[in-house]
Amino acid sequence: MLIFNIKEGYNISLLLLFATLGNVLGSLLNYYLGLKGEEFLEKKRLLKSEKTAKYKNFFNKYGGFSLLFSWAPIIGDPITFIAGVLKYDFKRFLFLVTLAKFARYLFLALVVL
C-alpha cells in the first residue's frame, strides 16, 4: 500500500508517519502480549523462572541489536514478543522499534522515488 500511495502522489511525509505509527502499534501489542504471556508460559511450565532471569540478562545486553531487525516480515513479530516476555526496557524498546520501522519505510520510499 505504501508503494502504491507514493506512486499515486500522496504526501510522502504523512505516508511514512502513518505507516511507521501503525507498524509500531502492532509491535507494542506484541510487547504487551509478551508481558502478559510470561505468567501464562510459567504456569504451563513452558518457561522456568530461573532460566528466564538468565535470558533477561542476555536480552538486556544484546536485545537492542535484535530489535533493529523488528522490521523484518517473519522474525520481527517474535522478536517484539520476546522483548515483552523478557521485560526489556520499554523506552529502549520503543525507540529501537520505531527507528527500525521508520528506516524500513524510508528505504522503500527512496527506492520508489
Side-chain angles (χ1 to χ4, degrees):
M1 288 302 298
L2 178 68
I3 293 170
F4 174 78
N5 286 325
I6 290 172
K7 287 185 175 188
E8 287 295 308
Y10 290 105
N11 185 319
I12 293 176
S13 299
L14 288 176
L15 290 173
L16 290 175
L17 173 71
F18 288 115
T20 302
L21 182 62
N23 212 325
V24 169
L25 287 174
S27 295
L28 289 174
L29 177 63
N30 288 336
Y31 183 87
Y32 177 76
L33 291 173
L35 280 175
K36 298 303 177 187
E38 179 186 11
E39 297 168 13
F40 175 78
L41 293 172
E42 285 180 354
K43 285 181 185 176
K44 294 288 184 181
R45 298 181 186 195
L46 297 171
L47 198 71
K48 295 181 181 176
S49 57
E50 307 86 43
K51 288 196 174 192
T52 305
K54 178 182 167 185
Y55 299 143
K56 283 180 185 179
N57 288 334
F58 182 80
F59 200 83
N60 283 333
K61 197 172 195 178
Y62 302 108
F65 297 115
S66 66
L67 284 172
L68 291 175
F69 291 101
S70 63
W71 62 268
I74 295 173
I75 63 171
D77 289 338
I79 291 171
T80 57
F81 178 80
I82 291 168
V85 169
L86 298 177
K87 295 182 174 80
Y88 188 71
D89 180 55
F90 182 73
K91 289 179 184 177
R92 284 186 186 174
F93 171 84
L94 186 59
F95 174 76
L96 291 169
V97 168
T98 302
L99 178 68
K101 306 285 186 176
F102 176 75
R104 171 188 182 184
Y105 292 125
L106 180 61
F107 174 77
L108 283 173
L110 292 174
V111 167
V112 171
L113 295 175

